[in-house]
Amino acid sequence: MKIVFSIICLFVGFSTVAHADTVELKKQGSKINVSIDGKLFATYNTSDDLPKPFFSPVRAADGTIITRSLVDPEDHPHHKGIWVAVDEVNEVDFWAEKGKIKNSGVKIVRAKGNPAILKVTNQWLGEDDKPIVTENTVISIYANRLMTYNITFKAGAKPVVFEDTKEGLFGIRLPNGMREKENGSVENNKGVKGTKDTWGKPTEWIDYYGPLNGKVYGVTLMDSPENYKKSRYHVRNYGLFTISPFGDHAYTNKKQPADPKHLKPGQKLNLKYGLYIHSGNTKQGKVADAYKQFLNVSKKKVAQKKPLKQQTKAKKVAAAPYEEKSKALEPIPASAAAASDDCNCAPVRRRRGLFRRFRGRR
């Protein structure tokens, strides 16, 4: 009986280990539901009725929703959950939802694991309903609630200009309570605190945390050193929290010159960002460790090729015995040697003759 009980405990233990730290994606109509260890974490919304795709609601580990409700927002109704949008792309205002960002494809790259991976294709449409740019974004979601966005914009048939603006690009709208103007706090990786001193500044990451229902939760935005330039943060005391590379002039109160980003027809632009949801303040949420994780998992992987010298040497070593034997057997036609599995063709002839003599005796 003790042996049976031990086997059951062992089986349960293995089941628990297999289930822990697992992210799972499930498609349900126009939505992708994300669960972590069997509990709903976030929902990605792609319906054609929406002005753009976005994640909402998004939950902390205990189930608390840390994105502002979409119902009766007190201001800025275009701040929806977690989203990608920016102002003034070829003079179309996608930030304020005057231009439509239409989802044209969702591919679940890895349905279950750590991370689970989702690839979305969104078309940023112009007034002629043709895509100004096509956005292909790979979203990797980890069990510790780190989300990495690998965003690639591809210009359509015409040149594209991302104008210098503070309204963008990737971010989240936090709920009341967490906001700095109530009881929230803001801190960057250098220890600088407050939206006033962190707004518009380039830095590795900024953490925004505050209380909800008696507990403290936080959200961190992270910039990647692999981006074409350093990004700046649109972090406000009323809960808006985004990051963008398109606003040197706007973010410095016009002290720096405008730096719009131009793309030729068909040209691509890649950007990488991280968003991390945690419990507690910056230190308790281990934000610095999460940033190291982001750098590690999002870094560009370079394919390693074998040196040409090694390949040449390997070929010479393998070819040498056959070359030596072929020289010793010059009377044998080259075509006959190539057709045989063994280029030492003289012994083959002797075996063939011996075989014929045995056949004659039979």
Side-chain angles (χ1 to χ4, degrees), residues 147-200:
M147 304 173 72
T148 65
Y149 271 59
N150 189 333
I151 306 167
T152 300
F153 290 111
K154 183 177 181 180
K158 299 178 181 179
V160 173
V161 181
F162 291 88
E163 296 291 353
D164 191 298
T165 175
K166 62 182 175 60
E167 312 292 2
L169 163 76
F170 167 63
I172 184 172
R173 177 62 190 258
L174 301 174
N176 296 1
M178 287 183 67
R179 303 183 300 178
E180 185 190 47
K181 73 175 189 176
E182 295 174 75
N183 297 302
S185 300
V186 171
E187 180 178 344
N188 72 10
N189 60 290
K190 298 177 182 179
V192 179
K193 297 182 178 181
T195 56
K196 183 179 179 180
D197 292 326
T198 56
W199 184 87

Side-chain angles (χ1 to χ4, degrees), residues 1 28 51-52 55-56 67 79 101 110 115-116 132 136 145 148 163 172 186 223 225 256 258 270 291 313 335 343 361:
M1 187 66 184
Q28 184 179 8
K52 64 178 176 247
F55 275 104
S56 181
T67 47
H79 297 170
I101 302 176
R110 183 185 296 165
I132 297 174
N136 285 292
R145 284 171 166 73
T148 65
E163 296 291 353
I172 184 172
V186 171
D223 192 16
Q256 290 193 17
N270 179 252
Y291 179 69
K313 287 181 180 179
S335 59
C343 288
R361 290 174 184 174

Side-chain angles (χ1 to χ4, degrees), residues 26-293:
K26 289 185 178 180
K27 186 174 176 59
Q28 184 179 8
S30 61
K31 298 180 179 181
I32 303 293
N33 290 319
V34 186
S35 61
I36 298 178
D37 293 341
K39 298 179 181 179
L40 191 61
F41 164 54
T43 299
Y44 189 69
N45 304 276
T46 66
S47 174
D48 285 342
D49 297 335
L50 299 171
K52 64 178 176 247
F54 56 88
F55 275 104
S56 181
V58 182
R59 297 170 174 82
D62 63 1
T64 300
I65 295 175
I66 51 85
T67 47
R68 185 183 67 167
S69 174
L70 302 180
V71 180
D72 296 327
E74 64 186 83
D75 58 51
H76 304 91
H78 48 277
H79 297 170
K80 292 180 170 68
I82 296 173
W83 75 96
V84 175
V86 69
D87 204 356
E88 298 180 54
V89 183
N90 284 15
E91 299 184 349
V92 178
D93 188 350
F94 291 101
W95 174 262
E97 300 178 347
K98 294 178 181 178
K100 183 177 177 63
I101 302 176
K102 179 182 179 181
N103 176 262
S104 60
V106 175
K107 179 181 179 182
I108 296 179
V109 179
R110 183 185 296 165
K112 193 173 184 179
N114 188 15
I117 303 174
L118 180 70
K119 182 178 180 180
V120 300
T121 301
N122 300 320
Q123 295 181 331
W124 295 39
L125 303 178
E127 294 180 356
D128 58 358
D129 287 333
K130 294 181 180 179
I132 297 174
V133 293
T134 298
E135 170 208 342
N136 285 292
T137 298
V138 177
I139 306 170
S140 300
I141 305 172
Y142 293 81
N144 65 341
R145 284 171 166 73
L146 171 68
M147 304 173 72
T148 65
Y149 271 59
N150 189 333
I151 306 167
T152 300
F153 290 111
K154 183 177 181 180
K158 299 178 181 179
V160 173
V161 181
F162 291 88
E163 296 291 353
D164 191 298
T165 175
K166 62 182 175 60
E167 312 292 2
L169 163 76
F170 167 63
I172 184 172
R173 177 62 190 258
L174 301 174
N176 296 1
M178 287 183 67
R179 303 183 300 178
E180 185 190 47
K181 73 175 189 176
E182 295 174 75
N183 297 302
S185 300
V186 171
E187 180 178 344
N188 72 10
N189 60 290
K190 298 177 182 179
V192 179
K193 297 182 178 181
T195 56
K196 183 179 179 180
D197 292 326
T198 56
W199 184 87
K201 305 292 194 307
T203 191
E204 292 178 351
W205 52 260
I206 292 180
D207 189 42
Y208 201 139
Y209 62 90
L212 285 175
N213 303 324
K215 296 182 179 180
V216 175
Y217 305 91
V219 176
T220 312
L221 285 180
M222 306 172 178
D223 192 16
S224 170
E226 294 185 3
N227 292 336
Y228 79 100
K229 64 185 292 188
K230 292 182 179 180
S231 296
R232 298 173 184 270
Y233 297 79
H234 194 16
V235 52
R236 295 299 201 190
N237 66 357
Y238 60 86
L240 175 64
F241 189 24
T242 68
I243 184 171
S244 173
F246 304 127
D248 288 345
H249 185 64
Y251 283 122
T252 59
N253 294 318
K254 303 180 180 181
K255 293 179 181 179
Q256 290 193 17
D259 186 22
K261 180 64 176 177
H262 294 260
L263 299 180
K264 297 177 182 178
Q267 188 177 0
K268 294 181 179 180
L269 170 65
N270 179 252
L271 296 165
K272 296 178 181 178
Y273 297 111
L275 188 150
Y276 172 57
I277 297 166
H278 60 88
S279 298
N281 59 27
T282 305
K283 185 177 181 180
Q284 293 166 338
K286 299 180 179 179
V287 171
D289 291 340
Y291 179 69
K292 291 178 182 178
Q293 178 189 355

